[in-house]
Amino acid sequence: MTMTHTELLEVIRNLENSGVEFKRDDIQNHDLAKELVALTNLEGGIVLLGVEDDGSISGITRQKLEEWVMTACRDKIRPGLIPFYEQIRDVEPGKDVAIVRVSRGLDVHTLWHNNKNRYFIRVGTQSREPTPEELGRLFQQRGSFRAELRPVSGATLADLDMRRLSNYFAQVREQVVPENNDEAAWKALLFNTEIMVEDGITVSGILLFGRTPNRFLPQAGIDAVAFPGVDKGYAARERATLRGPMTPLLNDSGDIVEAGLVEQAIAFVQRNTAIGGQLEEGGGRRENLPAYPREAIREAVVNALIHRDYLLSSTDIELSIYEDRLEITSPGRLPNGITPARMLTGCRATRNQLIKDVMRDYRYLEHSGMGVPRKIVKCMREHNGTEPQLIEDGELFTVRLLR
């Protein structure tokens, strides 16, 4: 945690960034609090007191600086912060620098000033107020609310597919369902299962069982494209906009009669990837071999639908097929501290718990939460000896399967 003289000089030499802010030590207490709020609302970071914006050392001049810092963090930040404080002496002859360090907050923090709370986030080297969408995502990342349970403006019971709902409760969950015309009973059932809230149908309800989810949620779907080459420079072989509810419609025998998004995505892959062949051992008959194992595709698609950030409203899940690979890109950072490495070990966390629970009820994923190592990794190793690539890039997460 502590920093050496040499390490501090290296930080200063690299100038400000998303986790480093320079300040004179004669700033107002609310100015310091603003920077610390923005840093803790991102991934944490440090404020160097006694350093100018250009990296030159002005040094510490304020008396009892540590006490002043701690008071500012208690009085000007909600919930209050206790930062790590240290002072490096003689960074330049006779000039000291104070380091004020905060970690990533467990809560969303605000600046309390002029009798009101203000939110700040760190964007590059700037600390600024977030847009409503950015603030919503920040609360979601901290687990303060579940975006999937937000009511969808204008959506009513009539916008849900009652056939699919009856399938779900009667066949999948095996419970008694109300009569179709018993609206009060249906509303009570849907309210108790979080498909509805007091203000209407939830985001999850529309995504899972909506008649036309994209009418209300433009991001509810998959943009699929198949290229004949290895990059997007080639004219696409096929483009398809996959739309509709996530869940399928079943008949009385439990067979799928109307595909959900998962089946639509698998069908797109199957018709756009050639079937290869291999000889059985001993030189016997030739066996058809798909380009990618169905279970790996299915798991990757389901994970994208379950874990994507539905607060990112301007982009769909992308399914891209190339000559040498298949990629499924999901909008949003991985939730709740999950990393690609932790996914490979089966670490479980979800952004949209209700969606996950319903899709699990349909047996789209394992109860153990081990789908990535047990299905994607295992299936690809057995299929062609390759390792799937899990790539987090800014606000996007991609699963790449190699042909």
Side-chain angles (χ1 to χ4, degrees):
M1 181 71 74
T2 58
M3 189 178 294
T4 66
H5 185 281
T6 301
E7 289 170 341
L8 176 61
L9 289 176
E10 181 66 21
V11 169
I12 295 172
R13 191 160 35 247
N14 289 329
L15 300 178
E16 294 176 323
N17 56 44
S18 294
V20 177
E21 176 71 22
F22 299 162
K23 288 291 181 188
R24 298 173 63 93
D25 79 332
D26 59 358
I27 59 174
Q28 298 294 311
N29 58 359
H30 60 83
D31 289 328
L32 172 64
K34 168 188 169 182
E35 302 300 341
L36 294 175
V37 163
L39 289 168
T40 195
N41 281 342
L42 184 63
E43 296 295 333
I46 60 175
V47 174
L48 300 182
L49 296 175
V51 181
E52 303 289 328
D53 288 342
D54 63 1
S56 59
I57 309 298
S58 53
I60 292 172
T61 61
R62 187 185 297 271
Q63 297 297 312
K64 298 182 178 179
L65 179 59
E66 180 178 0
E67 181 180 339
W68 177 82
V69 168
M70 297 302 170
T71 301
C73 291
R74 183 185 66 239
D75 294 347
K76 289 294 181 180
I77 298 176
R78 300 286 188 273
L81 285 176
I82 302 177
F84 178 84
Y85 178 93
E86 64 178 318
Q87 192 168 314
I88 307 296
R89 300 192 180 278
D90 292 321
V91 179
E92 288 184 357
K95 295 180 179 180
D96 300 345
V97 170
I99 302 169
V100 184
R101 186 190 305 272
V102 291
S103 58
R104 181 182 188 271
L106 298 176
D107 302 299
V108 179
H109 292 266
T110 63
L111 168 67
W112 174 253
H113 187 57
N114 291 335
N115 292 318
K116 67 177 182 179
N117 283 305
R118 296 173 65 190
Y119 295 94
F120 287 93
I121 59 173
R122 190 79 174 171
V123 181
T125 60
Q126 302 298 312
S127 298
R128 63 165 175 80
E129 294 189 78
T131 65
E133 183 183 63
E134 289 170 334
L135 184 59
R137 286 162 54 201
L138 179 60
F139 273 102
Q140 180 176 251
Q141 290 166 4
R142 296 305 193 264
S144 301
F145 84 100
R146 290 166 58 191
E148 63 169 346
L149 299 186
R150 294 175 65 179
V152 176
S153 178
T156 67
L157 190 61
D159 296 303
L160 297 178
D161 187 339
M162 297 306 296
R163 304 171 304 163
R164 280 175 162 81
L165 284 170
S166 294
N167 269 176
Y168 175 59
F169 288 108
Q171 293 180 241
V172 178
R173 291 178 55 141
E174 298 182 344
Q175 67 186 75
V176 177
V177 298
E179 297 293 331
N180 286 343
N181 59 358
D182 192 343
E183 183 173 320
W186 268 110
K187 284 184 175 180
L189 176 59
L190 299 181
F191 183 84
N192 289 332
T193 51
E194 297 182 314
I195 294 169
M196 288 187 72
V197 289
E198 290 182 0
D199 296 325
I201 311 299
T202 61
V203 169
S204 288
I206 289 294
L207 292 171
L208 290 162
F209 302 108
R211 292 180 184 274
T212 53
N214 285 84
R215 176 186 168 196
F216 301 98
L217 301 169
Q219 70 273 33
I222 301 173
D223 283 345
V225 59
F227 297 101
V230 296
D231 58 44
K232 294 182 179 180
Y234 293 86
R237 181 187 300 114
E238 182 187 355
R239 292 182 183 272
T241 303
L242 310 182
R243 295 291 183 260
M246 290 186 193
T247 59
L249 179 66
L250 310 175
N251 61 20
D252 292 339
S253 301
D255 300 319
I256 294 175
V257 293
E258 285 186 21
L261 280 176
V262 179
E263 290 77 31
Q264 291 184 53
I266 292 174
F268 182 87
V269 173
Q270 288 178 331
R271 68 175 177 264
N272 281 287
T273 52
I275 300 294
Q278 63 179 11
L279 292 178
E280 289 188 347
E281 291 185 14
R285 64 183 178 84
R286 194 172 185 85
E287 178 187 4
N288 288 332
L289 185 68
Y292 303 96
R294 180 186 176 92
E295 281 299 302
I297 299 168
R298 174 181 162 119
E299 184 70 21
V301 170
V302 170
N303 280 349
L305 291 170
I306 289 173
H307 297 300
R308 74 148 289 173
D309 186 349
Y310 286 101
L311 287 176
L312 291 172
S313 58
S314 60
T315 182
D316 289 341
I317 293 168
E318 294 183 3
L319 168 59
S320 303
I321 299 172
Y322 301 90
E323 183 180 4
D324 61 344
R325 68 195 186 280
L326 180 151
E327 295 178 349
I328 298 174
T329 299
S330 178
R333 297 175 181 270
L334 292 171
N336 304 328
I338 295 297
T339 64
R342 296 180 74 186
M343 289 182 72
L344 291 171
T345 64
C347 184
R348 289 171 284 185
T350 186
R351 179 181 281 117
N352 305 299
Q353 186 64 48
L354 177 58
I355 295 175
K356 181 178 180 180
D357 290 343
V358 171
M359 296 297 274
R360 178 184 290 149
D361 288 341
Y362 279 89
R363 301 184 183 277
Y364 280 114
L365 68 163
E366 295 183 351
H367 284 270
S368 65
M370 295 287 289
V372 171
R374 288 185 181 176
K375 290 187 177 178
I376 298 180
V377 174
K378 183 173 182 288
C379 287
M380 290 303 296
R381 285 175 178 171
E382 292 176 350
H383 183 72
N384 60 13
T386 62
E387 294 289 329
Q389 298 174 8
L390 310 180
I391 306 161
E392 189 171 26
D393 182 15
E395 293 296 335
L396 298 173
F397 176 70
T398 298
V399 176
R400 177 182 293 155
L401 309 181
L402 302 179
R403 186 140 183 176

